[in-house]
Every structure is written in structure tokens, then in C-alpha cells.
Amino acid sequence: MLDRCTMDLHCYSHFLVHSLLKELKGNLIIFFADIISALLIRATGHTLQMAYRQSLNSLDIVDLLKSSDLLSSGDIAALVYLWNPFTIAACVGLSTSPVENLVVILALHGACKGLVPLAAFGWVMSTHLSLYPAILIIPVILLLGYGPDTPPRKLYLQKGYGKNGDNHSSDNCGQQETNQSKAEVTFSWRPVIHFLFWSSLWSAYVLVLCSISVKPHGSLWEMFQRTYGFILTMEDMSPNIGVLWYFFAEVFDFFRSFFLIVFHLNILFMILPLAIRLKHRPCFLAFIYIAISSMLKSYPSVGDSALYLGLLGLFLDELADMKFSFFLLCGYIGVSLLSPVMHNLWIWRGTGNANFYYATGMAYACLQIILVVESVSAVLNHDRKLRKLSVTKLRDGNS
């Protein structure tokens, strides 16, 4: 009897140690994914800041803008990504969101640096893992074609025309200056074609590996139905921080397919207008796309918010005059504290109902909407400010 108890204790200890090692291994993978993501965000921020300063220097208005000399925007963005509560919660909860965020940041970093294979790999893997990052193909193409974020390209033409009028140069010199200004807005198709080639190559490689891995269990089409089909049809109505689970739990089955199409197309309807208006800021456009998809996706998580809040720090100069910043900060803190409390009252204690938890989800969605709207408005106002500064600089030069 004693030997059997000793054997059972030994087996239980072995199982416990194996479980702890497995959990520790998962924790290390997620931890290092967050660390690498922060380093990539920092490097991307430095690239964006350097390119932006060079653009302002070419417009002779770099000295008219205020910036912090203590920490760059890349450093602040990396710190925000690492130390915000959503990143910590996703890491502690052993969520796969840090890995998904890593490949998204990898795609943006590769596009900013001009590393086409790396950008294609990040985009293909992020689309494979979560589907929604597929819309990031537009910012990635714009980054490869136009380069990192710059002031509005009308300013280059405006400066070229101003110089032609000031110097009263000959027609040949004026034509040369105009061509030089137009060269600033030229879209380079060569890296885009390379990106499409590498994306096709990585996609084929991923599909081959998936077909080999799922062959003993089913076909590749069945895998698509159980992964992407599960995302698009919203079969699971488990409560989350989004708002769609409650809506589809209450809607009649007859209208379910209609509203599924409406909510999924709602993301696609915003892609083209935003791309046209923000094509000179592709990295900021990627941030907006990520925030919108995090708000409207079928199964959102706190890891999605950690990603776009980290990318938000890359645009400190552009968002310096953003309205409702303190309100948004307090709102995010309040939702972060109330959401787990309401979930505990409803699910575990049974002293609340679904409306308690859904109210925090509605407040969270409203905060995301305000963040997207105000950040876009702040960037457009920043562009108008640059235009006014450029005009003032030209007039001072004329006088």
C-alpha cells in the first residue's frame, strides 16, 4: 500500500513538473514575443522620425516644430506597448495575441525599412493567424511605394512653384524644378511587385505546410471552414470585450446572415476612403485599420488593444493637439477596472446580468470610436498646420 502511494505521488509530481515546464515554456514564448515586438516598434519609430524630419528639412520648416529631446517617439511607443495593462494581461493570460501582434509589427517594420521579404512574411503570417490583418496590404503597399510617413505631397509642389515664382527663372529651370517636385510624389512599383511575388511564395509555402499537417485529420478546405469560417460566421457566442456577441445572441436567426454581412462589410467600406485621404501617411493608416478591425472583429481581445495603443505612440508629434486625451485615458482605465468586475458578478457570482458586462463593452467601443475619430482629425489638423507654416515660410522668404 505504501509503495503504491509512493508511486502515485511520484506520478503526480512528474505530471505537475511537466505541466509547470510546459506552462513556463509557453510563458517564455509569449514574453519574448512581446519583447521583440517592442524592439521592432522602437526601430520603426526611429525610421519614421528620421524620414519625417528629412521631409520637414526639405520644406525648411523643421525648426518650427517642437519635439521632445528626452525620448523619441519610438522609445515612448515601445514603453507604452510593454507596460500598458492590456499587454500584461495578454501575457499573463497566455493568449496568442502577442504572437499575432509580433507578425503584424514585423510586416510594418519590414515595409518601413524596405525589406520586402520580411514585410511579405509578416503580412502572410498575420493574415493566416487572424484573417483581419489582410486589410493591411494597402498600408504595406503604400509604405513600399511611397516610403514612410511624410507631410502632404502638395507641400512639395507648393514649394517648387514658390521657388519658380520667386526667382523669375527661365522656362527650362522652372520645368526642372517642377519635375523635381513631382518626383517627390512618384509611386515606385518595383518593390510592390516584389512584395506580391514574395507574398505569393510565402502563401504557397504556408498552404503546403497546412495541407501536410491536416492531411491525417481532414482536407485543407475543412481547415478553412473551421478557422476562417468560424471567424466569419460567429458560431461561438461566449462573452468578450466586443459588442457583437450580445447583438447576435439577441437577433432573430432569420436576420443573422444579413447582419453578419453588414458588420463584416462595415470594415471594408472604410478602407478605400481612409486610404485616399491618408495615403501620404501609410503607417498611421495601418494604425487606423488595426484600431477599426479591433473594434469590429468577431472575437476581440485585450491583445488587440495593446497593439494599436503601442502604435499610437509612434505619432506623438502629429497627435500633440488631439482632443479628449485625458477623457480617453480615464475611460480606458475605468473600462479596464470595471470589465473584470462586471464579468465576475455575472458569470461567477450570479448577482448581475449580461447588461452589466455588455455596458462596459459598449463603453469600450465608444472609447475606440472616439480615439479613431480624434486621432484622424488631429493628423489632418497637423497637416493643415504644416501647410500654413510652409506658406508663412515662403512669404517670409519672399520678403
Side-chain angles (χ1 to χ4, degrees):
M1 185 70 180
L2 183 61
D3 294 339
R4 181 165 184 176
C5 291
T6 305
M7 185 180 300
D8 292 342
L9 182 61
H10 177 73
C11 292
Y12 176 74
S13 301
H14 179 74
F15 172 77
L16 183 61
V17 171
H18 179 72
S19 301
L20 289 175
L21 289 176
K22 186 177 180 180
E23 184 176 356
L24 181 61
K25 185 178 179 180
N27 274 327
L28 288 177
I29 293 175
I30 294 174
F31 175 76
F32 283 115
D34 283 332
I35 294 296
I36 296 174
S37 298
L39 293 176
L40 291 176
I41 289 176
R42 181 176 181 270
T44 304
H46 290 171
T47 302
L48 291 175
Q49 191 173 22
M50 185 180 301
Y52 196 61
R53 284 190 170 274
Q54 289 177 355
S55 301
L56 295 182
N57 191 24
S58 64
L59 296 172
D60 296 331
I61 57 176
V62 66
D63 56 332
L64 299 178
L65 291 179
K66 299 178 180 179
S67 59
S68 176
D69 296 331
L70 298 178
L71 288 176
S72 64
S73 59
D75 297 334
I76 295 176
L79 291 175
V80 170
Y81 179 80
L82 276 181
W83 295 106
N84 76 77
F86 296 138
T87 305
I88 297 174
C91 183
V92 173
L94 295 180
S95 172
T96 58
S97 296
V99 179
E100 298 173 6
N101 295 343
L102 173 61
V103 289
V104 171
I105 297 171
L106 203 64
L108 297 178
H109 175 72
C112 287
K113 289 288 188 179
L115 304 175
V116 178
L118 184 63
F121 174 78
W123 179 75
V124 169
M125 290 304 301
S126 60
T127 304
H128 172 69
L129 293 176
S130 183
L131 182 62
Y132 289 97
I135 63 177
L136 294 179
I137 188 173
I138 296 178
V140 169
I141 288 177
L142 292 176
L143 276 170
L144 294 173
Y146 284 124
D149 295 24
T150 58
R153 290 174 175 84
K154 293 181 180 179
L155 295 182
Y156 295 103
L157 297 175
Q158 181 181 3
K159 181 186 176 184
Y161 294 147
K163 285 184 177 180
N164 293 336
D166 297 340
N167 298 330
H168 300 285
S169 60
S170 62
D171 294 339
N172 293 332
C173 294
Q175 184 66 27
Q176 182 180 1
E177 184 71 29
T178 304
N179 293 334
Q180 182 180 0
S181 300
K182 289 183 178 180
E184 300 286 347
V185 299
T186 302
F187 185 85
S188 178
W189 285 101
R190 185 174 181 179
V192 175
I193 295 175
H194 290 171
F195 171 78
L196 296 177
F197 168 75
W198 278 102
S199 297
S200 303
L201 191 64
W202 287 121
S203 300
Y205 183 69
V206 170
L207 289 177
V208 169
L209 290 181
C210 290
S211 62
I212 295 174
S213 62
V214 302
K215 188 175 182 180
H217 310 285
S219 62
L220 194 63
W221 178 251
E222 186 177 356
M223 186 199 76
F224 289 152
Q225 288 180 332
R226 295 189 177 185
T227 53
Y228 303 144
F230 184 81
I231 294 174
L232 296 176
T233 57
M234 285 198 63
E235 298 176 1
D236 188 7
M237 294 299 154
S238 299
N240 51 59
I241 61 174
V243 295
L244 299 186
W245 65 270
Y246 187 86
F247 179 84
F248 284 102
E250 299 294 333
V251 75
F252 292 108
D253 292 336
F254 179 77
F255 299 103
R256 179 179 174 82
S257 299
F258 170 74
F259 283 108
L260 278 174
I261 296 174
V262 169
F263 278 110
H264 288 306
L265 288 180
N266 196 18
I267 299 177
L268 300 179
F269 287 154
M270 303 181 190
I271 292 179
L272 188 58
L274 289 172
I276 294 174
R277 190 64 183 88
L278 298 172
K279 65 179 180 180
H280 62 288
R281 297 188 180 275
C283 198
F284 179 76
L285 180 65
F287 156 72
I288 294 297
Y289 281 176
I290 293 172
I292 291 176
S293 62
S294 301
M295 179 174 52
L296 297 176
K297 67 191 306 184
S298 302
Y299 305 103
S301 66
V302 293
D304 302 323
S305 302
L307 176 59
Y308 70 76
L309 288 178
L311 295 178
L312 183 67
L314 296 175
F315 314 103
L316 291 179
D317 293 332
E318 294 85 346
L319 302 178
D321 298 327
M322 189 177 73
K323 299 179 181 178
F324 307 114
S325 301
F326 182 73
F327 171 77
L328 288 171
L329 176 62
C330 295
Y332 271 96
I333 294 175
V335 169
S336 302
L337 296 176
L338 287 178
S339 183
V341 173
M342 296 302 176
H343 186 273
N344 182 53
L345 289 176
W346 174 35
I347 299 297
W348 299 106
R349 297 183 181 273
T351 56
N353 54 42
N355 294 327
F356 285 57
Y357 183 69
Y358 184 66
T360 59
M362 289 289 292
Y364 182 65
C366 292
L367 290 173
Q368 289 176 309
I369 293 173
I370 296 174
L371 176 64
V372 170
V373 172
E374 292 301 324
S375 59
V376 172
S377 300
V379 168
L380 296 180
N381 290 333
H382 181 76
D383 291 341
R384 297 188 188 99
K385 178 182 177 182
L386 292 180
R387 190 176 297 112
K388 292 179 181 179
L389 291 176
S390 179
V391 172
T392 304
K393 195 76 173 180
L394 288 175
R395 289 177 180 175
D396 294 342
N398 294 340
S399 60

